[in-house]
Amino acid sequence: MNNLIDRETKDIYIEETNQSLDDIENQLITLENMGADIDMAVAKKIFHAMHIIRNGASLLSLTKIKDLSQKIENVLGLICSNRLSPNPEVINILLQGIDRLNQLTDQVDNNEDLNIDEQSVLLTGLTSAVLPDDIKQSVTEVRDIPVPNGKHIFKISEFNLIQVLEQGKNIYILMYDLIKDVQEKNNTPLNFVRFVQRHGEMIDSVFDIKSIGTLEEQEFGSEMPYFVLLASTLSCEQLIKELDLQPYQIKPVNNVIADLIHPKTDPHQKELSSTSIAKNRMTENKRRLEKLNALFCELKFSMDKMPCRLDNTSSLSKARLQTVLLNLHDLLYQENNVLASKVLWKIGRNIRDYAYQSNIKATIDLQCGYIMMDNRILCRLIDPLTAITIKMVRLVQDIEPVQLCLSMGKNEDTIALTISYANPHMIIKKTHIDCHDEEKKLHALSADLKQTFESDKGLTVEIRVPQKVFIVSGYRVKIDNYCYIFPKFNVKDHLANLNPLKWSENDSSFSFYHEDHFIPIVNISNSDISYYKNKNKLIVCEVGGQRFGVAVDELETKELDAFCQSLGKQLAENPLIIYHCLLDNGQIAFIPDMDYLVNRIS
Amino acid sequence: MSKKVIRPGQDIVASMVPEFKKSLQELIGEEGITEIDIDLTGVEMVDSVGLGAFIATHNTLSQKNGKLTVIHASDDIYSLFKTMRLDQHFEIQQG
């Protein structure tokens, strides 16, 4: 038998692919360093190299390599057509794909355990996220291409079809009878398939298995209809000649899917779908979400301060409001949720950078599955998780390469992130790392850290993060050595270097001239009413239409997310505060009850 | 439901298919086997008629709610079945 894909062919492919992947990795980093001003020649070179890898995998039926390289090629295609900027996030996702391809080629004969789901989700998400709405749909939309026999339908991703068409290829359905066209010509199915693949890419194929019949049927073996969906740069006439086809055996389908590259939209709609409009829409959505979050916080504050004992009518109203609040919380929870791997990839990137700077080999394999998490928590996890991971790398960095694994698990209330050593031979006797600073940052997220040591696994660090949290965006201020977070939705302005001439005193009440009005000053301090005299900063707040100022010692204009925690028994008695939270440095901060403050305006 | 492994031990080509087909028919029809593993150890080539035999076996077993599995397929045969999307109809395991 003429083995077209003998061991040697496969080995040559693997060797060339490994070399090519190394080159692609370096070129991607070069591309990233170019910033916005990318050299299109480099981008096209990478695209071409990936295209060759994908075609080779297709030819050798290395399904996983083919599927993953197809997705990488899709993203590279967008970069080459200037529809996607190769920013660090994009490059990192591509590098994750390349890493997985490397693993797949290293274990080409035994890669059943290596799934490509996570990389595929990230790459598809990337492809989808940057595209204008009309094209975005194409990533998940499937187009039906009916086979002329009327019995079968090819179901192909519209995005893949667009990519093929944009490469200037034509798409055809080839109709064969394997008995007449292969067997009677003394050819084998394998040689036949390879021959077809040399003239284009087999996007899909299907047997008409029903017409082949069963073992009992007399006509068994008399015909074997087989249909191929082929993408080729050759014209219909050229393919008829090259593949020795009869004209009835080939059907061009470009006209069936022509709308994919020439959308039936008028110029106005086209304008709407441009990237800038899509970006504006995303910004607008973000603003809406922030506004919704602010409304939720304000309502929750009011509800929490509502007296426990109410008459029947008020109790019913409170119960109804609480139902609204719960639903709003669920809605916000869903809106803020993103695929964890879409954010946590940055840890992999940080480790890669650390390894590069330290001249060691260290990688972290992220196994996040399809777990969704609050984006605000995820962003704050990057720093502490990176620091912990680097500490774990340092423990064993004399045993290269260091391979770590960050896996995620989820139960009803919490999400567990576990960092462990991926290679069991890397067991060391150190049972603990100092994570004091990281623990503070994790506690600020209401998360806990636990270290365990097992003789066969080594050190494992587990971080448990609550799934649903109450987050208030606000500004940190310091008053008489106490830290407060003033909710963003109540803060209208921050003033520093106050002009002494703008103060006014009247019957023991104080006010400050701000935006054409005198606004009352509320005393939050335990000290004398004239405490403001020692302070030269003011935070301007508004509650229920009433504006007032609070004089502070220090104020930060940078917004932060406070993970609110209920007050303990002692603090609950203090009417000035409604929640507390922990800051990244371990310090406690209080969230003032703004209703109480506004009521203090004398 | 009973299961049987069948090992042709030679290339699945037109010349052997009638005999192969007969033994499969006996297994399914007379012995009432509804799950068949075809072990391709030692099989280097499958021609078009041979492919037809696999599909016909799958069709026959499907009618009886049975299942065909191809095991120990060589790299070439595994690749061929995958390319031709036969893995969408019955399970194929590499050798």
Side-chain angles (χ1 to χ4, degrees), chain A residues 45-112:
Chain A
K45 197 174 166 189
I46 303 171
F47 176 81
H48 185 64
M50 188 49 67
H51 187 70
I52 290 171
I53 291 173
R54 202 243 309 163
N55 274 350
S58 175
L59 207 65
L60 298 173
S61 294
L62 304 170
T63 318
K64 284 185 182 173
I65 298 177
K66 177 184 157 260
D67 290 348
L68 185 56
S69 48
Q70 168 76 67
K71 289 187 166 63
I72 295 174
E73 194 184 316
N74 288 346
V75 174
L76 291 169
L78 291 172
I79 294 174
C80 288
S81 60
N82 259 329
R83 281 189 284 173
L84 177 65
S85 166
N87 62 35
E89 182 182 357
V90 171
I91 295 295
N92 198 72
I93 291 174
L94 285 169
L95 288 174
Q96 284 184 45
I98 303 290
D99 277 351
R100 185 57 94 191
L101 278 182
N102 263 319
Q103 291 166 348
L104 287 167
T105 53
D106 285 348
Q107 302 176 37
V108 71
D109 294 323
N110 186 25
N111 60 26
E112 297 300 318

Side-chain angles (χ1 to χ4, degrees), chain A residues 149 151-152 176-179 206-215 217-227, chain B residues 52 55-56 58-59 63 89:
Chain A
N149 72 351
K151 295 179 192 167
H152 301 281
Y176 286 101
D177 174 354
L178 286 200
I179 299 298
V206 63
F207 268 107
D208 181 1
I209 65 162
K210 281 194 178 151
S211 66
I212 293 168
T214 61
L215 290 166
E217 284 166 310
Q218 290 297 311
E219 65 269 28
F220 160 64
S222 62
E223 64 165 354
M224 284 185 66
Y226 177 61
F227 306 93
Chain B
I55 296 169
H58 161 74
N59 287 345
Q63 284 180 351
H89 303 289

Side-chain angles (χ1 to χ4, degrees), chain A residues 387-406:
Chain A
I388 291 165
T389 310
I390 288 176
K391 283 178 182 175
M392 289 180 74
V393 170
R394 278 190 192 142
L395 273 188
V396 293
Q397 70 178 36
D398 51 332
I399 316 169
E400 286 189 36
V402 186
Q403 288 174 302
L404 289 159
C405 174
L406 169 67

